[in-house]
Structure formats: C-alpha cells, structure tokens
Amino acid sequence: MINYAIVGCGHIAKKHAEAIKKAEDSKLLAVCDTDPDRMTYFKEEYGADTYTDLDKMLKVEDIQVLNICTPSGVHAPLAVKAAKAKKHLVVEKPIALKIEDADAIIEACKDNGVKLAVVHPNRFRPVMMELRKLMDDGLLGKLSHANVAVRWNRNQEYYDQASWRGTKEFDGGVLMNQAIHNLDLMLWFMGEVEEVFSMDATRLRKIEAEDVSTGVVRFTNGALGVVEAATTIYPKNLEETISIFGENGTIKIGGVTATKIEHMNIEGLSEEIVNDLKAKIDENPMGKPGHQWIIEDMTVSITEDKEPIVTGEDGKRALQLVLSFYESAEKNQPVEIGK
C-alpha cells in the first residue's frame, strides 16, 4: 500500500482524493491547507488526517507521495521542500509557471531519489491511446500538419472564484490553464517543436492573462501545427479537437472534450475496422479517469522502481511551449524554442 497526501484542498484536490480512493494499492492518509474549513470534506469523506503546517505533515514517515494541488505559481517551493523530505511527487498541471521553477522541481527530485509525475490526464482517454497506437505504428506516414482547438467558455464568475485565477503570477490564461493539456497531446503525437509564432489577447474576461490565443508551430520533423485556444466561447463549451494529417491518413478527434473519433480515413484500414474502433470508444469515451491512471502509475513506479509515464520533463516541455507562445505574442515575432 502506497500512502498519499494532498497539499491544497481546492476543487482539483477532490479529483485527486477520489482517484487515490479508486486506485489499486493506494490510500489517502493526509491533507494540508492553510484554511481548516477546506479540509473538513477530506476528513469526513476519506478519513484523512488534517494539517495546516506542511512541514509537520512532511515529517510523517508513512506518507510516501505528496500530491500538489495548490495554485500553479506556488508549485515549485512546495515540491522542492517535499522532495527534500524524500516524498515522491504528483504535481498538477502546469508543473510550474517558469522554466527555472520546473528545473528546480526536476533537480530536487533527482537529487533526492524520488519519483515525479505531472498530471496530464488527457493522454489516458481511450481515443487518445488508440490514436497513439496508430501513430506508433506509422500508419499515417510522413506527417503534414496538426491542428488543435480548445473552444470553451469560462465566464467571469469562474475567474472571480479566487483572487489568483487569471493572474500571471499564480495561474496564467487559457494557454497555461486549459490548453496546456492539448499542447501536451500535440507534443506527444507530433514530437518536439523548434519554432512558434503567436498572437493573444484579453478580449472578454476581466483578468490579467489572455482569454484567447492563436499560434502556429514548426516541429523539428518539418511538420507544421496550428493552435487556437479560447475561454470566450458563448454561451458554453463548444468543442475540443485535435486533428492530424499525414500522407496516408487523416484523423480528427473531437467532441466537447475530445473523446470521440469525428473522422478517420487511413490507407489500408477498412471502413469496418474504423467503425468498430469508433464503436469501441463510444461505449466508454472517458474510460478510467485520467487522474486514477496517474495515481496507479505512480504507485507502480514506486513499487517497481521505474519512471512515471508522464514525467517532469514532459511537464517542462508543455510549459516551455506555452511560454514560447507568450514570448512570441509579446515580441510579435517568431521564437525559436530553447534559444
């Protein structure tokens, strides 16, 4: 049995707690928050011990993993402290808001011999895992380009729930908060990015960060990509899509939350095979919750001493892409990744 603890008892922490409860060989032992009232639910629902002092909780030897569910801007100091206390880490996306903070987390985990997983759960949707198999088998051939769109609604009430939402210091905008999942998927399917050009704006929401962003990317393999992300869609979430185009195939994954095959035409795959695959996915489009996948994978990573599926470096790559979009939009010019 691997024992988990959570720091930061806001909305996303409930997903972590339920994932820990459902995951095999995992138990939620404790939670920590500066506000005692926010911890009541976790004590009553899961029997978790409660702490307002993180240092005190980290001294509990039975706790092996710390799940960091605080606002993004404070991930780094908490993660580094936990790593030094020899706790493995599950860090909510984004891993951090600055590259130097991501590096600090990764290095602290390496130096202290602890595992690090970043929560990019969309990889574990059934449709995404099936698409990855097709990509790994090379069925699309040479890749031409990809298109990612997040057309969602986050109204002003959403941002007004907490003072940190929509700020550049603690949260970021639509790219950092919502579309980073889709950027992670794009990197997972298409490979590394070498150059980006982006424009963004804050059009409708009263926030510091962007509520709409558009951009293009050039991958190191020569393929191109287009990214559109917005929380300004009226009156509710419209769609989340990822489309990939290759010399031997075209695939579009869509729906409100990108859980189904909207189009698939691949050389050598019959209509019957494609329809069977669609039906298989439609039976259970969400599959096992992504957070549960992350927890179970961390438990196995500890017991079998292996790297988690979604590593700290994966989290850093997605962060780097977002920051490169921001830099390009600010400078109004193309930006080369890592230069």
Side-chain angles (χ1 to χ4, degrees), residues 130-173:
E130 293 294 341
L131 175 53
R132 181 58 193 253
K133 291 177 186 177
L134 296 172
M135 299 289 291
D136 287 344
D137 290 340
L139 295 185
L140 272 65
K142 185 177 181 180
L143 297 174
S144 165
H145 65 292
N147 181 286
V148 167
V150 181
R151 296 166 175 151
W152 282 355
N153 175 280
R154 294 293 184 271
N155 59 24
Q156 193 61 45
E157 290 180 1
Y158 167 85
Y159 292 105
D160 290 344
Q161 290 178 77
S163 60
W164 54 268
R165 288 188 181 272
T167 65
K168 293 182 179 180
E169 183 178 1
F170 295 111
D171 191 31

mmCIF file of all heavy atoms in Angstrom, residues 130-173:
data_model
loop_
_atom_site.group_PDB
_atom_site.id
_atom_site.type_symbol
_atom_site.label_atom_id
_atom_site.label_comp_id
_atom_site.label_asym_id
_atom_site.label_seq_id
_atom_site.Cartn_x
_atom_site.Cartn_y
_atom_site.Cartn_z
ATOM 1 N N GLU A 130 -5.743 5.063 -28.413
ATOM 2 C CA GLU A 130 -5.878 4.404 -29.708
ATOM 3 C C GLU A 130 -5.143 5.181 -30.797
ATOM 4 O O GLU A 130 -4.490 4.592 -31.665
ATOM 5 C CB GLU A 130 -7.357 4.251 -30.079
ATOM 6 C CG GLU A 130 -8.131 3.287 -29.193
ATOM 7 C CD GLU A 130 -7.674 1.841 -29.332
ATOM 8 O OE1 GLU A 130 -7.013 1.506 -30.347
ATOM 9 O OE2 GLU A 130 -7.975 1.034 -28.436
ATOM 10 N N LEU A 131 -5.250 6.512 -30.743
ATOM 11 C CA LEU A 131 -4.536 7.337 -31.716
ATOM 12 C C LEU A 131 -3.034 7.169 -31.571
ATOM 13 O O LEU A 131 -2.302 7.085 -32.570
ATOM 14 C CB LEU A 131 -4.933 8.811 -31.552
ATOM 15 C CG LEU A 131 -4.191 9.833 -32.431
ATOM 16 C CD1 LEU A 131 -4.252 9.442 -33.910
ATOM 17 C CD2 LEU A 131 -4.764 11.228 -32.219
ATOM 18 N N ARG A 132 -2.558 7.084 -30.343
ATOM 19 C CA ARG A 132 -1.126 6.902 -30.133
ATOM 20 C C ARG A 132 -0.641 5.571 -30.729
ATOM 21 O O ARG A 132 0.447 5.502 -31.312
ATOM 22 C CB ARG A 132 -0.806 6.973 -28.634
ATOM 23 C CG ARG A 132 0.683 6.812 -28.296
ATOM 24 C CD ARG A 132 1.534 7.879 -28.998
ATOM 25 N NE ARG A 132 2.935 7.561 -28.939
ATOM 26 C CZ ARG A 132 3.832 8.189 -28.168
ATOM 27 N NH1 ARG A 132 3.444 9.197 -27.397
ATOM 28 N NH2 ARG A 132 5.094 7.848 -28.177
ATOM 29 N N LYS A 133 -1.451 4.533 -30.613
ATOM 30 C CA LYS A 133 -1.081 3.246 -31.207
ATOM 31 C C LYS A 133 -0.940 3.372 -32.729
ATOM 32 O O LYS A 133 0.012 2.854 -33.332
ATOM 33 C CB LYS A 133 -2.138 2.181 -30.881
ATOM 34 C CG LYS A 133 -2.182 1.762 -29.430
ATOM 35 C CD LYS A 133 -3.321 0.764 -29.207
ATOM 36 C CE LYS A 133 -3.502 0.437 -27.740
ATOM 37 N NZ LYS A 133 -4.673 -0.477 -27.532
ATOM 38 N N LEU A 134 -1.885 4.076 -33.355
ATOM 39 C CA LEU A 134 -1.827 4.279 -34.800
ATOM 40 C C LEU A 134 -0.587 5.078 -35.190
ATOM 41 O O LEU A 134 0.075 4.775 -36.199
ATOM 42 C CB LEU A 134 -3.089 5.006 -35.281
ATOM 43 C CG LEU A 134 -4.414 4.259 -35.113
ATOM 44 C CD1 LEU A 134 -5.578 5.172 -35.453
ATOM 45 C CD2 LEU A 134 -4.451 3.023 -35.999
ATOM 46 N N MET A 135 -0.263 6.099 -34.380
ATOM 47 C CA MET A 135 0.911 6.909 -34.656
ATOM 48 C C MET A 135 2.183 6.093 -34.488
ATOM 49 O O MET A 135 3.111 6.166 -35.301
ATOM 50 C CB MET A 135 0.942 8.123 -33.714
ATOM 51 C CG MET A 135 -0.246 9.055 -33.838
ATOM 52 S SD MET A 135 -0.273 10.008 -35.362
ATOM 53 C CE MET A 135 1.118 11.101 -35.097
ATOM 54 N N ASP A 136 2.233 5.286 -33.424
ATOM 55 C CA ASP A 136 3.421 4.455 -33.171
ATOM 56 C C ASP A 136 3.629 3.437 -34.293
ATOM 57 O O ASP A 136 4.774 3.086 -34.612
ATOM 58 C CB ASP A 136 3.297 3.725 -31.831
ATOM 59 C CG ASP A 136 3.472 4.655 -30.640
ATOM 60 O OD1 ASP A 136 3.983 5.777 -30.835
ATOM 61 O OD2 ASP A 136 3.100 4.255 -29.521
ATOM 62 N N ASP A 137 2.535 2.975 -34.890
ATOM 63 C CA ASP A 137 2.634 2.008 -35.989
ATOM 64 C C ASP A 137 2.956 2.680 -37.328
ATOM 65 O O ASP A 137 3.125 1.982 -38.343
ATOM 66 C CB ASP A 137 1.332 1.212 -36.124
ATOM 67 C CG ASP A 137 1.126 0.245 -34.961
ATOM 68 O OD1 ASP A 137 2.117 -0.081 -34.282
ATOM 69 O OD2 ASP A 137 -0.035 -0.171 -34.730
ATOM 70 N N GLY A 138 3.009 4.014 -37.322
ATOM 71 C CA GLY A 138 3.370 4.747 -38.535
ATOM 72 C C GLY A 138 2.338 4.694 -39.637
ATOM 73 O O GLY A 138 2.675 4.898 -40.818
ATOM 74 N N LEU A 139 1.069 4.476 -39.289
ATOM 75 C CA LEU A 139 0.048 4.282 -40.310
ATOM 76 C C LEU A 139 -0.292 5.559 -41.076
ATOM 77 O O LEU A 139 -0.828 5.496 -42.184
ATOM 78 C CB LEU A 139 -1.227 3.708 -39.675
ATOM 79 C CG LEU A 139 -1.111 2.303 -39.083
ATOM 80 C CD1 LEU A 139 -2.465 1.807 -38.608
ATOM 81 C CD2 LEU A 139 -0.530 1.327 -40.095
ATOM 82 N N LEU A 140 0.015 6.725 -40.497
ATOM 83 C CA LEU A 140 -0.284 7.975 -41.198
ATOM 84 C C LEU A 140 0.826 8.364 -42.162
ATOM 85 O O LEU A 140 0.664 9.274 -42.975
ATOM 86 C CB LEU A 140 -0.527 9.115 -40.199
ATOM 87 C CG LEU A 140 -1.956 9.283 -39.704
ATOM 88 C CD1 LEU A 140 -2.387 8.076 -38.884
ATOM 89 C CD2 LEU A 140 -2.087 10.547 -38.872
ATOM 90 N N GLY A 141 1.966 7.686 -42.077
ATOM 91 C CA GLY A 141 3.087 8.017 -42.946
ATOM 92 C C GLY A 141 3.728 9.337 -42.548
ATOM 93 O O GLY A 141 3.642 9.775 -41.404
ATOM 94 N N LYS A 142 4.363 9.989 -43.507
ATOM 95 C CA LYS A 142 5.012 11.274 -43.246
ATOM 96 C C LYS A 142 3.962 12.302 -42.847
ATOM 97 O O LYS A 142 2.932 12.466 -43.514
ATOM 98 C CB LYS A 142 5.757 11.749 -44.494
ATOM 99 C CG LYS A 142 6.571 13.016 -44.296
ATOM 100 C CD LYS A 142 7.344 13.373 -45.556
ATOM 101 C CE LYS A 142 8.184 14.624 -45.351
ATOM 102 N NZ LYS A 142 8.948 14.964 -46.583
ATOM 103 N N LEU A 143 4.207 12.998 -41.754
ATOM 104 C CA LEU A 143 3.217 13.935 -41.221
ATOM 105 C C LEU A 143 3.278 15.275 -41.931
ATOM 106 O O LEU A 143 4.362 15.826 -42.178
ATOM 107 C CB LEU A 143 3.437 14.125 -39.717
ATOM 108 C CG LEU A 143 3.259 12.864 -38.865
ATOM 109 C CD1 LEU A 143 3.636 13.142 -37.422
ATOM 110 C CD2 LEU A 143 1.843 12.320 -38.966
ATOM 111 N N SER A 144 2.120 15.807 -42.242
ATOM 112 C CA SER A 144 1.999 17.111 -42.882
ATOM 113 C C SER A 144 1.816 18.213 -41.844
ATOM 114 O O SER A 144 2.639 19.112 -41.717
ATOM 115 C CB SER A 144 0.811 17.110 -43.851
ATOM 116 O OG SER A 144 0.438 18.422 -44.226
ATOM 117 N N HIS A 145 0.740 18.092 -41.050
ATOM 118 C CA HIS A 145 0.476 19.122 -40.049
ATOM 119 C C HIS A 145 -0.556 18.636 -39.043
ATOM 120 O O HIS A 145 -1.163 17.575 -39.226
ATOM 121 C CB HIS A 145 0.017 20.432 -40.698
ATOM 122 C CG HIS A 145 -1.295 20.355 -41.409
ATOM 123 N ND1 HIS A 145 -1.491 19.631 -42.566
ATOM 124 C CD2 HIS A 145 -2.504 20.927 -41.127
ATOM 125 C CE1 HIS A 145 -2.740 19.762 -42.981
ATOM 126 N NE2 HIS A 145 -3.382 20.531 -42.119
ATOM 127 N N ALA A 146 -0.715 19.424 -37.998
ATOM 128 C CA ALA A 146 -1.692 19.133 -36.955
ATOM 129 C C ALA A 146 -2.454 20.403 -36.616
ATOM 130 O O ALA A 146 -1.958 21.516 -36.825
ATOM 131 C CB ALA A 146 -1.010 18.585 -35.705
ATOM 132 N N ASN A 147 -3.663 20.218 -36.093
ATOM 133 C CA ASN A 147 -4.487 21.356 -35.683
ATOM 134 C C ASN A 147 -5.098 21.057 -34.323
ATOM 135 O O ASN A 147 -5.665 19.975 -34.113
ATOM 136 C CB ASN A 147 -5.596 21.601 -36.716
ATOM 137 C CG ASN A 147 -6.469 22.786 -36.364
ATOM 138 O OD1 ASN A 147 -7.285 22.710 -35.453
ATOM 139 N ND2 ASN A 147 -6.306 23.883 -37.076
ATOM 140 N N VAL A 148 -4.962 21.981 -33.402
ATOM 141 C CA VAL A 148 -5.511 21.839 -32.054
ATOM 142 C C VAL A 148 -6.436 23.027 -31.779
ATOM 143 O O VAL A 148 -6.058 24.176 -32.038
ATOM 144 C CB VAL A 148 -4.388 21.793 -30.998
ATOM 145 C CG1 VAL A 148 -4.957 21.973 -29.594
ATOM 146 C CG2 VAL A 148 -3.624 20.481 -31.095
ATOM 147 N N ALA A 149 -7.629 22.745 -31.264
ATOM 148 C CA ALA A 149 -8.563 23.825 -30.923
ATOM 149 C C ALA A 149 -9.234 23.540 -29.589
ATOM 150 O O ALA A 149 -9.731 22.434 -29.357
ATOM 151 C CB ALA A 149 -9.621 23.985 -32.011
ATOM 152 N N VAL A 150 -9.217 24.542 -28.711
ATOM 153 C CA VAL A 150 -9.942 24.493 -27.448
ATOM 154 C C VAL A 150 -10.904 25.674 -27.458
ATOM 155 O O VAL A 150 -10.488 26.820 -27.252
ATOM 156 C CB VAL A 150 -8.997 24.579 -26.233
ATOM 157 C CG1 VAL A 150 -9.793 24.487 -24.932
ATOM 158 C CG2 VAL A 150 -7.956 23.473 -26.296
ATOM 159 N N ARG A 151 -12.155 25.405 -27.736
ATOM 160 C CA ARG A 151 -13.174 26.452 -27.838
ATOM 161 C C ARG A 151 -14.152 26.267 -26.694
ATOM 162 O O ARG A 151 -15.177 25.603 -26.823
ATOM 163 C CB ARG A 151 -13.858 26.365 -29.208
ATOM 164 C CG ARG A 151 -12.895 26.656 -30.357
ATOM 165 C CD ARG A 151 -13.437 26.266 -31.701
ATOM 166 N NE ARG A 151 -12.510 26.669 -32.771
ATOM 167 C CZ ARG A 151 -12.403 26.031 -33.936
ATOM 168 N NH1 ARG A 151 -13.155 24.960 -34.189
ATOM 169 N NH2 ARG A 151 -11.533 26.447 -34.841
ATOM 170 N N TRP A 152 -13.810 26.877 -25.580
ATOM 171 C CA TRP A 152 -14.536 26.675 -24.344
ATOM 172 C C TRP A 152 -15.028 28.002 -23.763
ATOM 173 O O TRP A 152 -14.631 29.084 -24.188
ATOM 174 C CB TRP A 152 -13.644 25.985 -23.307
ATOM 175 C CG TRP A 152 -13.487 24.517 -23.521
ATOM 176 C CD1 TRP A 152 -14.112 23.741 -24.461
ATOM 177 C CD2 TRP A 152 -12.641 23.639 -22.776
ATOM 178 N NE1 TRP A 152 -13.706 22.437 -24.341
ATOM 179 C CE2 TRP A 152 -12.809 22.348 -23.316
ATOM 180 C CE3 TRP A 152 -11.766 23.817 -21.703
ATOM 181 C CZ2 TRP A 152 -12.128 21.246 -22.811
ATOM 182 C CZ3 TRP A 152 -11.089 22.724 -21.210
ATOM 183 C CH2 TRP A 152 -11.266 21.444 -21.753
ATOM 184 N N ASN A 153 -15.887 27.865 -22.752
ATOM 185 C CA ASN A 153 -16.373 29.025 -22.004
ATOM 186 C C ASN A 153 -15.913 28.944 -20.555
ATOM 187 O O ASN A 153 -16.098 27.914 -19.896
ATOM 188 C CB ASN A 153 -17.904 29.091 -22.040
ATOM 189 C CG ASN A 153 -18.456 30.203 -21.169
ATOM 190 O OD1 ASN A 153 -18.570 30.066 -19.952
ATOM 191 N ND2 ASN A 153 -18.787 31.310 -21.795
ATOM 192 N N ARG A 154 -15.277 29.990 -20.097
ATOM 193 C CA ARG A 154 -15.033 30.204 -18.674
ATOM 194 C C ARG A 154 -15.501 31.628 -18.396
ATOM 195 O O ARG A 154 -14.850 32.596 -18.800
ATOM 196 C CB ARG A 154 -13.544 30.046 -18.313
ATOM 197 C CG ARG A 154 -12.998 28.634 -18.493
ATOM 198 C CD ARG A 154 -13.629 27.671 -17.495
ATOM 199 N NE ARG A 154 -13.052 26.331 -17.603
ATOM 200 C CZ ARG A 154 -13.507 25.372 -18.406
ATOM 201 N NH1 ARG A 154 -14.553 25.618 -19.197
ATOM 202 N NH2 ARG A 154 -12.931 24.195 -18.437
ATOM 203 N N ASN A 155 -16.671 31.748 -17.757
ATOM 204 C CA ASN A 155 -17.251 33.073 -17.578
ATOM 205 C C ASN A 155 -16.548 33.841 -16.451
ATOM 206 O O ASN A 155 -15.655 33.327 -15.786
ATOM 207 C CB ASN A 155 -18.763 32.974 -17.330
ATOM 208 C CG ASN A 155 -19.085 32.140 -16.092
ATOM 209 O OD1 ASN A 155 -18.264 32.006 -15.187
ATOM 210 N ND2 ASN A 155 -20.283 31.584 -16.052
ATOM 211 N N GLN A 156 -16.989 35.060 -16.249
ATOM 212 C CA GLN A 156 -16.326 35.898 -15.252
ATOM 213 C C GLN A 156 -16.470 35.317 -13.852
ATOM 214 O O GLN A 156 -15.560 35.456 -13.020
ATOM 215 C CB GLN A 156 -16.886 37.321 -15.294
ATOM 216 C CG GLN A 156 -16.049 38.331 -14.515
ATOM 217 C CD GLN A 156 -14.626 38.448 -15.053
ATOM 218 O OE1 GLN A 156 -14.420 38.521 -16.255
ATOM 219 N NE2 GLN A 156 -13.635 38.483 -14.158
ATOM 220 N N GLU A 157 -17.586 34.654 -13.591
ATOM 221 C CA GLU A 157 -17.785 34.038 -12.278
ATOM 222 C C GLU A 157 -16.706 32.998 -11.997
ATOM 223 O O GLU A 157 -16.259 32.839 -10.855
ATOM 224 C CB GLU A 157 -19.168 33.396 -12.199
ATOM 225 C CG GLU A 157 -20.312 34.402 -12.152
ATOM 226 C CD GLU A 157 -21.661 33.707 -12.069
ATOM 227 O OE1 GLU A 157 -21.686 32.450 -12.030
ATOM 228 O OE2 GLU A 157 -22.686 34.404 -12.051
ATOM 229 N N TYR A 158 -16.290 32.268 -13.021
ATOM 230 C CA TYR A 158 -15.222 31.278 -12.866
ATOM 231 C C TYR A 158 -13.945 31.949 -12.366
ATOM 232 O O TYR A 158 -13.310 31.482 -11.417
ATOM 233 C CB TYR A 158 -14.975 30.572 -14.200
ATOM 234 C CG TYR A 158 -13.703 29.755 -14.249
ATOM 235 C CD1 TYR A 158 -13.674 28.448 -13.776
ATOM 236 C CD2 TYR A 158 -12.532 30.294 -14.790
ATOM 237 C CE1 TYR A 158 -12.510 27.694 -13.830
ATOM 238 C CE2 TYR A 158 -11.364 29.549 -14.848
ATOM 239 C CZ TYR A 158 -11.359 28.256 -14.365
ATOM 240 O OH TYR A 158 -10.199 27.521 -14.411
ATOM 241 N N TYR A 159 -13.576 33.038 -13.009
ATOM 242 C CA TYR A 159 -12.343 33.721 -12.618
ATOM 243 C C TYR A 159 -12.479 34.440 -11.276
ATOM 244 O O TYR A 159 -11.485 34.615 -10.562
ATOM 245 C CB TYR A 159 -11.926 34.713 -13.705
ATOM 246 C CG TYR A 159 -11.487 34.037 -14.982
ATOM 247 C CD1 TYR A 159 -12.313 34.022 -16.107
ATOM 248 C CD2 TYR A 159 -10.259 33.378 -15.062
ATOM 249 C CE1 TYR A 159 -11.919 33.392 -17.273
ATOM 250 C CE2 TYR A 159 -9.857 32.741 -16.226
ATOM 251 C CZ TYR A 159 -10.692 32.748 -17.324
ATOM 252 O OH TYR A 159 -10.301 32.107 -18.477
ATOM 253 N N ASP A 160 -13.695 34.834 -10.928
ATOM 254 C CA ASP A 160 -13.903 35.561 -9.674
ATOM 255 C C ASP A 160 -13.981 34.641 -8.456
ATOM 256 O O ASP A 160 -14.089 35.120 -7.321
ATOM 257 C CB ASP A 160 -15.197 36.390 -9.758
ATOM 258 C CG ASP A 160 -15.068 37.562 -10.722
ATOM 259 O OD1 ASP A 160 -13.928 37.908 -11.082
ATOM 260 O OD2 ASP A 160 -16.114 38.118 -11.124
ATOM 261 N N GLN A 161 -13.897 33.318 -8.656
ATOM 262 C CA GLN A 161 -13.955 32.387 -7.533
ATOM 263 C C GLN A 161 -12.788 32.562 -6.561
ATOM 264 O O GLN A 161 -12.914 32.299 -5.370
ATOM 265 C CB GLN A 161 -13.943 30.936 -8.047
ATOM 266 C CG GLN A 161 -15.205 30.513 -8.748
ATOM 267 C CD GLN A 161 -15.081 29.092 -9.267
ATOM 268 O OE1 GLN A 161 -15.187 28.134 -8.506
ATOM 269 N NE2 GLN A 161 -14.831 28.948 -10.543
ATOM 270 N N ALA A 162 -11.636 32.973 -7.101
ATOM 271 C CA ALA A 162 -10.452 33.155 -6.260
ATOM 272 C C ALA A 162 -9.591 34.267 -6.858
ATOM 273 O O ALA A 162 -9.534 34.422 -8.085
ATOM 274 C CB ALA A 162 -9.645 31.866 -6.160
ATOM 275 N N SER A 163 -8.935 35.003 -5.997
ATOM 276 C CA SER A 163 -8.168 36.173 -6.453
ATOM 277 C C SER A 163 -6.983 35.802 -7.337
ATOM 278 O O SER A 163 -6.505 36.617 -8.127
ATOM 279 C CB SER A 163 -7.670 36.970 -5.243
ATOM 280 O OG SER A 163 -6.835 36.174 -4.420
ATOM 281 N N TRP A 164 -6.507 34.556 -7.243
ATOM 282 C CA TRP A 164 -5.347 34.154 -8.039
ATOM 283 C C TRP A 164 -5.709 33.732 -9.459
ATOM 284 O O TRP A 164 -4.845 33.685 -10.340
ATOM 285 C CB TRP A 164 -4.597 33.001 -7.359
ATOM 286 C CG TRP A 164 -5.432 31.802 -7.018
ATOM 287 C CD1 TRP A 164 -6.076 31.551 -5.838
ATOM 288 C CD2 TRP A 164 -5.722 30.686 -7.875
ATOM 289 N NE1 TRP A 164 -6.750 30.348 -5.898
ATOM 290 C CE2 TRP A 164 -6.550 29.798 -7.135
ATOM 291 C CE3 TRP A 164 -5.360 30.340 -9.178
ATOM 292 C CZ2 TRP A 164 -7.019 28.602 -7.669
ATOM 293 C CZ3 TRP A 164 -5.834 29.145 -9.708
ATOM 294 C CH2 TRP A 164 -6.643 28.302 -8.948
ATOM 295 N N ARG A 165 -6.980 33.442 -9.713
ATOM 296 C CA ARG A 165 -7.359 32.961 -11.044
ATOM 297 C C ARG A 165 -7.136 34.039 -12.115
ATOM 298 O O ARG A 165 -7.507 35.196 -11.930
ATOM 299 C CB ARG A 165 -8.833 32.532 -11.070
ATOM 300 C CG ARG A 165 -9.105 31.234 -10.329
ATOM 301 C CD ARG A 165 -10.534 30.779 -10.555
ATOM 302 N NE ARG A 165 -10.849 29.554 -9.839
ATOM 303 C CZ ARG A 165 -10.647 28.324 -10.304
ATOM 304 N NH1 ARG A 165 -10.109 28.170 -11.506
ATOM 305 N NH2 ARG A 165 -10.976 27.274 -9.595
ATOM 306 N N GLY A 166 -6.545 33.634 -13.213
ATOM 307 C CA GLY A 166 -6.322 34.554 -14.319
ATOM 308 C C GLY A 166 -5.153 35.489 -14.135
ATOM 309 O O GLY A 166 -4.903 36.341 -14.995
ATOM 310 N N THR A 167 -4.404 35.348 -13.026
ATOM 311 C CA THR A 167 -3.229 36.197 -12.825
ATOM 312 C C THR A 167 -2.005 35.546 -13.455
ATOM 313 O O THR A 167 -1.901 34.320 -13.551
ATOM 314 C CB THR A 167 -2.945 36.419 -11.328
ATOM 315 O OG1 THR A 167 -2.600 35.165 -10.710
ATOM 316 C CG2 THR A 167 -4.160 37.017 -10.625
ATOM 317 N N LYS A 168 -1.063 36.359 -13.868
ATOM 318 C CA LYS A 168 0.161 35.847 -14.478
ATOM 319 C C LYS A 168 1.083 35.222 -13.431
ATOM 320 O O LYS A 168 1.834 34.313 -13.750
ATOM 321 C CB LYS A 168 0.885 36.969 -15.221
ATOM 322 C CG LYS A 168 0.124 37.467 -16.444
ATOM 323 C CD LYS A 168 0.888 38.555 -17.178
ATOM 324 C CE LYS A 168 0.126 39.031 -18.419
ATOM 325 N NZ LYS A 168 0.843 40.079 -19.159
ATOM 326 N N GLU A 169 1.010 35.683 -12.200
ATOM 327 C CA GLU A 169 1.904 35.189 -11.155
ATOM 328 C C GLU A 169 1.506 33.805 -10.648
ATOM 329 O O GLU A 169 2.371 32.975 -10.344
ATOM 330 C CB GLU A 169 1.932 36.167 -9.975
ATOM 331 C CG GLU A 169 2.895 35.758 -8.878
ATOM 332 C CD GLU A 169 2.950 36.755 -7.738
ATOM 333 O OE1 GLU A 169 2.222 37.773 -7.782
ATOM 334 O OE2 GLU A 169 3.750 36.537 -6.795
ATOM 335 N N PHE A 170 0.198 33.522 -10.586
ATOM 336 C CA PHE A 170 -0.242 32.290 -9.942
ATOM 337 C C PHE A 170 -1.018 31.324 -10.851
ATOM 338 O O PHE A 170 -1.195 30.163 -10.491
ATOM 339 C CB PHE A 170 -1.118 32.617 -8.731
ATOM 340 C CG PHE A 170 -0.396 33.335 -7.636
ATOM 341 C CD1 PHE A 170 -0.685 34.659 -7.350
ATOM 342 C CD2 PHE A 170 0.594 32.701 -6.908
ATOM 343 C CE1 PHE A 170 -0.011 35.333 -6.333
ATOM 344 C CE2 PHE A 170 1.277 33.358 -5.892
ATOM 345 C CZ PHE A 170 0.974 34.674 -5.604
ATOM 346 N N ASP A 171 -1.465 31.778 -12.035
ATOM 347 C CA ASP A 171 -2.382 30.947 -12.802
ATOM 348 C C ASP A 171 -2.101 30.922 -14.297
ATOM 349 O O ASP A 171 -2.015 29.865 -14.905
ATOM 350 C CB ASP A 171 -3.814 31.444 -12.554
ATOM 351 C CG ASP A 171 -4.874 30.502 -13.093
ATOM 352 O OD1 ASP A 171 -4.625 29.288 -13.119
ATOM 353 O OD2 ASP A 171 -5.962 30.991 -13.459
ATOM 354 N N GLY A 172 -1.978 32.077 -14.928
ATOM 355 C CA GLY A 172 -1.892 32.143 -16.375
ATOM 356 C C GLY A 172 -3.270 32.186 -17.003
ATOM 357 O O GLY A 172 -4.295 32.162 -16.317
ATOM 358 N N GLY A 173 -3.290 32.223 -18.340
ATOM 359 C CA GLY A 173 -4.549 32.319 -19.054
ATOM 360 C C GLY A 173 -4.953 31.010 -19.689
ATOM 361 O O GLY A 173 -4.613 29.929 -19.212
#
